[in-house]
Structure formats: structure tokens, C-alpha cells
Amino acid sequence: MFSPASRHGIAAAALALWTLTACGSSSGGGDDPTSAPTTTQAAKDKGPQCVGEAPADGVHVLRGGGFRLPGGGGVQYAAASADGTSRTATLRDGAGYGSGQRQWTVKPGSGITLSGHAYTVRQVCSYHVVLEPEDAKDKAALAAAPESMEFAGGAADNTLCFTTNRAVLAAAAKSFPAKGQTLSLLANGGVKQLPTGPSLTVSYIDAAASTAGLGANCAGIPVAQYKDVKVGDTVEFAGVLFKASGLSEQAVRLTRTSE
């Protein structure tokens, strides 16, 4: 086993996690998901990669990150589990990670209540969980057009960062290479900034284990934290899917797989 100090290119900013209130089977607290990885050999995910069907206007909560929701609440995708035939996700409450927070294990079809607002889990994947609001007002709030398509920084960007609005998602998607082409994320503090707010970084590269950590932040919230990414793994940023296609001490290469 290699110590965390042997990892290359640890980013200066630590990624924190965040919000949810739900129903399901409670699994109690957990270790700080924002701490540096302590192992160099990632356990193989037994799959399946996804279970359930995602609605077109669903809320995508990315692995290791959070999503602010109408009414002041939010949800984090804290952990995942798959046994070869089924897949579950651990969702956590709170505005950010804190000791003693409650968390729940959910699967497609699970109902959850977030700050008094009802949602249904529609899809659980290794890289995201998709929620569907049950109230039409919440759906409309999430799909509302922002006042500006230019990001300003911090909470002012909530309507750009935490949205199902198709114009916003399309603008973010255009900032990536086309389907089949490759995006390189540099280690050692390199940042890929999208015009609608999200910033993507390589949090670490472990050359010995051939794994890397990838993160995204938006409106002051860590919206994704993918740990132990290996070549062939799927990740998602701003509604766009990528497959890790290369890894070196200098960069992680991602090939876009969705439109």
C-alpha cells in the first residue's frame, strides 16, 4: 500500500460535500468524504453501471458531490454499492458535510423528502443519481431560465449550477470537445473553467495504482468528486458523459461519450 504522500498533483483546495433530507433505510454517519484517499488500490465496481431510467428533466446529483434544490434544501451522493445485479446509493443531508449527519441507502423507486419537498429516485449509476420532483412547482423552479448566462461566482450562480434548464445545459455542453473527442485535464492545479460556472480539476493522480481523482465545483459547492477513477470508468460533468481514456502523471484524458 502506498501512503497519500505518494500521490501526484494533490490540488490545493479540498473538496467538501453537502445536502439532503430523505426516507429509506438509514445507515447513520460516515467518514469525511472530502478527506484525501488513503489507499492506492481501488476496489472493482461489480456493476451494473446503471439501474433505472432517467427522465429527461431529472436532477443529476453527481458522485461525491451535491445539488442545491428549491426550498433551500439539497442532496449529496455520498457513496455507491453494487453487487453484480443491483445498485444502491447513499444520499446524505446537510448544507455541507458535518459530523453526525444522517444518510440513507436508496434505489430506483425510493421516495425521499428534502426540506419538505418530495422526490423520487429514478436512476442510480456509478457516476450519478437522478431524482424527479413530485411537485410541478419544483419542476418549474428547477427548469427556470437564469437571469444571465454569465457566471458571477458564488451563490449568485445557483440558477446556472443547479438547474435542469436545457439552454444552460446546452451552453455547458458546447464548451467541451465534441462526442468522440478527448478532453485533457491537467494535474498540479490545472483548472478547466466552463462559461456557465463549473470548474473541473484533477485532485490527485496515483501513478502507481493507475487511478486519479476528479472534481468539479460550482457556485461555491463541490458538485462532483470522483475518487479512484481508472481508465474505462464513466464520469459526468454538467450533464455530459465521459469515459476515462488515459492517465499519466501529468494529466487525465477523458473521451466524450454523450451528445
Side-chain angles (χ1 to χ4, degrees):
M1 180 180 295
F2 297 86
S3 69
S6 66
R7 299 182 185 270
H8 298 273
I10 298 178
L15 297 176
L17 280 177
W18 69 285
T19 36
L20 164 156
T21 304
C23 63
S25 59
S26 176
S27 58
D31 294 335
D32 186 344
T34 69
S35 59
T38 57
T39 63
T40 58
Q41 184 61 50
K44 180 175 175 58
D45 191 308
K46 296 179 181 179
Q49 185 176 60
C50 290
V51 177
E53 296 294 327
D57 57 352
V59 174
H60 288 215
V61 186
L62 305 185
R63 178 79 171 267
F67 194 105
R68 283 180 177 151
L69 294 166
V75 56
Q76 315 169 44
Y77 182 0
S81 179
D83 61 10
T85 58
S86 62
R87 178 172 286 281
T88 61
T90 299
L91 302 180
R92 181 182 288 137
D93 70 350
Y97 179 78
S99 178
Q101 287 179 320
R102 298 181 66 192
Q103 57 188 35
W104 296 262
T105 299
V106 299
K107 60 184 179 180
S110 296
I112 59 176
T113 300
L114 309 168
S115 296
H117 298 249
Y119 294 81
T120 300
V121 177
R122 292 302 183 194
Q123 186 180 58
V124 178
C125 296
S126 61
Y127 51 88
H128 74 201
V129 170
V130 180
L131 306 179
E132 184 175 28
E134 294 186 7
D135 193 305
K137 292 181 179 178
D138 291 333
K139 286 186 178 182
L142 285 161
E147 293 183 5
S148 172
M149 292 290 283
E150 299 295 327
F151 79 95
D157 295 327
N158 281 348
T159 54
L160 290 174
C161 299
F162 309 109
T163 183
T164 61
N165 182 271
R166 296 190 180 185
V168 174
L169 295 176
K174 287 181 180 178
S175 64
F176 291 122
K179 183 178 180 180
Q181 296 185 354
T182 299
L183 167 69
S184 291
L185 296 179
L186 301 179
N188 299 314
V191 176
K192 167 68 174 177
Q193 182 74 59
L194 304 189
T196 54
S199 59
L200 317 182
T201 59
V202 176
S203 56
Y204 71 87
I205 293 177
D206 188 334
S210 297
T211 61
L214 305 178
N217 286 268
C218 202
I221 295 294
V223 294
Q225 185 184 23
Y226 295 107
K227 294 183 178 181
D228 294 323
V229 174
K230 305 177 295 296
V231 170
D233 286 353
T234 296
V235 296
E236 178 180 341
F237 296 115
V240 178
L241 298 182
F242 298 87
K243 181 169 287 188
S245 54
L247 186 155
S248 70
E249 292 186 3
Q250 292 75 39
V252 177
R253 295 187 298 278
L254 304 174
T255 298
R256 182 170 175 171
T257 58
S258 66
E259 297 295 342

